[in-house]
Amino acid sequence: MVAEPGGPEDQKPQSDEARSAFVPPAGVEPPAPAADDDHPTSEFAVPTGLATEPQGAGAGSASGSASGSGPGSASGSDTIGSAFAPPSTYRAHQSPPAFTPAHGSPMIRLTKEAPWQDRMRTMLRMPVAERPAPELVQKSDETGPAVPRVLDLTLRIGELLLAGGEGAEDVEAAMFAVTRSYGLDRSEPTVTFTLLSISYQPSLVDDPVTASRTVRRRGTDYTRLAAVFRLIDDITTGDVEVSLEDAYRRLAEIRRNRHPYSGWVLTLAGGGLAGAASVLVGGGALVFVVAAIGAMLGDRLAWLCAGRGLPEFYQFVVAAMPPAALGVALTLTHWSDLRPSAVITGGLFALLPGRALVAGVQDGLTGFYITAAARLLEVMYLFIGIVVGVLLVLYMGLQLGAQLNPGTRFFVPDRPVVQILASMALCFAFAILLQQDRSTVLAVTLNGAVAWVVFGAMARTGGISPVLATATAAGLVGLFGQLFSRYRHTSSLPFITAAIGPLLPGSATYFGLLAVAQGNVNAGLVSLSTAVATALAIAIGVNLGSEISRLFMRVPGEVGGANRRAAKRTRGF
């Protein structure tokens, strides 16, 4: 019997094989099919039950609308906040302290108004990892700067500065300024008395590149020194583009340029310096002439010895003999009214190595002890050369019967106007000897006059110790010299070295040598000790004035607190 359709046989459950695994079981109502419009348009749609921020509540919000009336739909006017926007419950003043600020680590930016000397000193005192990111000042090609050529240019610039008498710290700052301007920020310059070296390491995993250069000859030419400073200032300034080839060309021109003053002009300047110094210690017009003649004879003899290749020590021995010989000759001819002691003292003023002494003490105070020891040893040898030359002449004069008595020290009359004019003439002649630029001669002359006025007011009018008065006057010289140099964006040496000329201990040196020549060693050593103390007071005062001047200038690196750091010292251990 065949069952009809719709009969009881059709209502029997089918086998499990005949039913799909995704078919809802009996008694479960299948969900209604969702319309296409109800599907969310993005997987980042706002879940059901979460309210969005109103329009304009958060910066950087993105709109994401979902139309429809089904669950999970959002109105087209609602906006979805950015993933980088802070939550609505975030408050900046209630946030916990974090190592990295929310706006990122601030980069240290040095003030552009500060000269490059101060900026580079600041970064040299900082560890390599803490130095601010370099800002490439000079343009380079796509392959990057030529590292060997940049290092060679840096060494040649440092050689000119060190040979010209700059301090070790200023030479290091100049070398670091050049390498940093060309993009070599991980460089470490090293300066000693005769050796310059610089090392550059691109990264912690790359091999370092090191170059060095030896300073063979030294010369005093502050005009050349100022030209090198102008070159460094142009290299470190973004307004002027100086390529490596341009820098090499300008450096070659600086080296080829002749000195601004000839040898005979320098000889006349040396005579004027000695004559002015003799007037400063009480001499008259005739004393001025005799002292100038003695200094010029000594200078010509020193030039002759230099042309024959004699070391500098013997040049100082020979240069010190003519002034002393003229002073002894005046004593033997009984022209004591011309003050032979003033003639010899004036000749010593032109020979005392004040420039090297100031540089040596400055290097020692700034932490360059090897260079300072070498400079001070050079000063000692030159001073011994002067002592030997003067002692030889004084001993011969005593054997000939010259009446030289160190006890009767000459009395310096109160002639403030004459002495101020003499100090200015001394500084002017000293500036010519140093081959200074003509634009700096007037400033250094006025600086020396101020120093002498302060010394005379303290030591002679106020009765203060001459050593303390010398240190105070030298401090003002260093202060004004640094301010002048920052105004002119050049080295401070042209404004300082010649200005300390009137403060040099010429008379104390002479009377000490005379006492030693007569056999009174104790009195001679006391006078020479006074001369050494005065010289050290000059050097320390100049350096202290230079450091104090930075208190009146904008300190670079104030944003990050990266001020010029001094070395941390322990108490002797």
Side-chain angles (χ1 to χ4, degrees):
M1 177 176 171
V2 180
E4 296 181 358
E9 290 81 1
D10 293 337
Q11 302 298 326
K12 292 181 180 180
Q14 298 179 0
S15 62
D16 293 338
E17 291 80 3
R19 186 176 57 196
S20 173
F22 297 97
V23 175
V28 177
E29 183 179 358
D36 293 339
D37 296 337
D38 292 337
H39 288 287
T41 59
S42 172
E43 58 183 348
F44 296 102
V46 182
T48 306
L50 179 62
T52 60
E53 294 182 0
Q55 181 70 22
S61 61
S63 62
S65 61
S67 61
S69 58
S73 63
S75 174
S77 62
D78 295 337
T79 58
I80 301 176
S82 172
F84 298 98
S88 59
T89 58
Y90 177 82
R91 296 294 183 270
H93 64 277
Q94 297 177 355
S95 61
F99 180 78
T100 303
H103 55 275
S105 300
M107 185 179 68
I108 300 175
R109 292 187 178 274
L110 303 178
T111 57
K112 297 299 183 181
E113 292 78 6
W116 61 265
Q117 299 100 311
D118 296 327
R119 302 201 310 267
M120 295 306 115
R121 283 196 192 99
T122 300
M123 285 183 284
L124 278 175
R125 296 292 181 96
M126 300 169 58
V128 177
E130 298 181 8
R131 291 174 183 170
E135 298 178 1
L136 192 62
V137 176
Q138 301 300 331
K139 296 181 181 179
S140 59
D141 53 9
E142 296 179 356
T143 60
V147 175
R149 288 182 60 80
V150 172
L151 297 184
D152 179 70
L153 174 67
T154 303
L155 290 174
R156 292 179 183 273
I157 291 177
E159 178 189 9
L160 285 180
L161 294 178
L162 188 62
E166 274 291 346
E169 186 180 26
D170 293 327
V171 176
E172 279 197 0
M175 295 172 64
F176 186 73
V178 174
T179 55
R180 188 175 178 83
S181 299
Y182 287 107
L184 308 184
D185 61 311
R186 301 179 63 89
S187 59
E188 291 293 339
T190 304
V191 177
T192 59
F193 185 59
T194 58
L195 181 65
L196 298 169
S197 64
I198 187 168
S199 178
Y200 169 68
Q201 189 174 13
S203 64
L204 295 176
V205 297
D206 293 329
D207 295 332
V209 181
T210 304
S212 61
R213 193 173 182 87
T214 303
V215 179
R216 301 290 184 184
R217 301 182 60 185
R218 297 177 182 273
T220 303
D221 189 345
Y222 283 177
T223 301
R224 178 179 296 177
L225 193 68
V228 176
F229 265 75
R230 285 194 296 268
L231 173 60
I232 300 172
D233 188 62
D234 291 340
I235 291 176
T236 55
T237 302
D239 300 336
V240 181
E241 182 179 353
V242 181
S243 64
L244 283 175
E245 300 302 327
D246 294 338
Y248 268 106
R249 178 183 54 79
R250 291 180 57 178
L251 192 63
E253 292 177 355
I254 293 173
R255 298 179 68 95
R256 286 196 302 265
N257 285 343
R258 301 185 62 181
H259 299 300
Y261 310 106
S262 62
W264 284 104
V265 174
L266 298 181
T267 300
L268 292 176
L273 190 154
S278 64
V279 174
L280 197 64
V281 295
L286 291 178
V287 173
F288 178 93
V289 174
V290 175
I293 293 175
M296 288 189 289
L297 288 176
D299 182 77
R300 284 291 97 188
L301 288 177
W303 277 87
L304 182 62
C305 294
R308 296 296 184 268
L310 287 179
E312 197 172 11
F313 173 83
Y314 300 104
Q315 298 176 28
F316 271 76
V317 172
V318 173
M321 296 177 72
L326 287 180
V328 172
L330 291 177
T331 304
L332 291 174
T333 55
H334 303 287
W335 282 17
S336 57
D337 55 339
L338 291 181
R339 298 184 181 272
S341 55
V343 174
I344 300 176
T345 302
L348 292 179
F349 265 87
L351 296 176
L352 293 177
R355 174 182 58 88
L357 177 65
V358 171
V361 175
Q362 181 179 0
D363 288 342
L365 294 176
T366 53
F368 295 86
Y369 299 113
I370 297 178
T371 307
R375 288 186 188 271
L376 294 178
L377 186 63
E378 179 191 29
V379 171
M380 185 187 71
Y381 272 104
L382 298 181
F383 188 77
I384 291 175
I386 298 173
V387 169
V388 171
V390 175
L391 281 180
L392 287 175
V393 175
L394 293 180
Y395 182 76
M396 294 175 59
L398 292 175
Q399 297 301 318
L400 294 175
Q403 300 297 325
L404 299 173
N405 187 5
T408 58
R409 305 201 173 194
F410 53 85
F411 173 75
V412 180
D414 291 333
R415 301 179 299 175
V417 177
V418 174
Q419 290 179 341
I420 292 174
L421 293 178
S423 65
M424 295 178 67
L426 191 153
C427 295
F428 179 82
F430 205 170
I432 300 299
L433 280 176
L434 296 174
Q435 302 276 7
Q436 289 191 198
D437 191 354
R438 293 177 175 85
S439 61
T440 63
V441 172
L442 178 60
V444 71
T445 302
L446 295 178
N447 198 10
V450 171
W452 180 256
V453 169
V454 172
F455 170 78
M458 294 182 64
R460 297 183 178 178
T461 305
I464 302 176
S465 170
V467 176
L468 180 59
T470 301
T472 304
L476 290 178
V477 168
L479 174 63
F480 293 146
Q482 286 291 336
L483 296 179
F484 278 132
S485 67
R486 292 306 185 266
Y487 176 75
R488 297 286 299 272
H489 294 281
T490 184
S491 173
S492 61
L493 289 182
F495 302 98
I496 291 178
T497 306
I500 65 174
L503 304 176
L504 293 176
S507 58
T509 303
Y510 163 68
F511 285 114
L513 296 179
L514 181 58
V516 172
Q518 290 182 333
N520 193 356
V521 180
N522 293 331
L525 291 180
V526 170
S527 185
L528 291 177
S529 300
T530 303
V532 172
T534 304
L536 291 178
I538 293 173
I540 295 175
V542 168
N543 180 263
L544 182 61
S546 301
E547 296 296 331
I548 292 177
S549 66
R550 296 188 177 94
L551 299 177
F552 301 96
M553 296 183 293
R554 296 185 60 183
V555 179
E558 290 180 347
V559 177
N563 295 336
R564 183 171 180 255
R565 301 179 180 179
K568 295 181 179 179
R569 303 297 182 192
T570 58
R571 291 190 176 96
F573 52 86

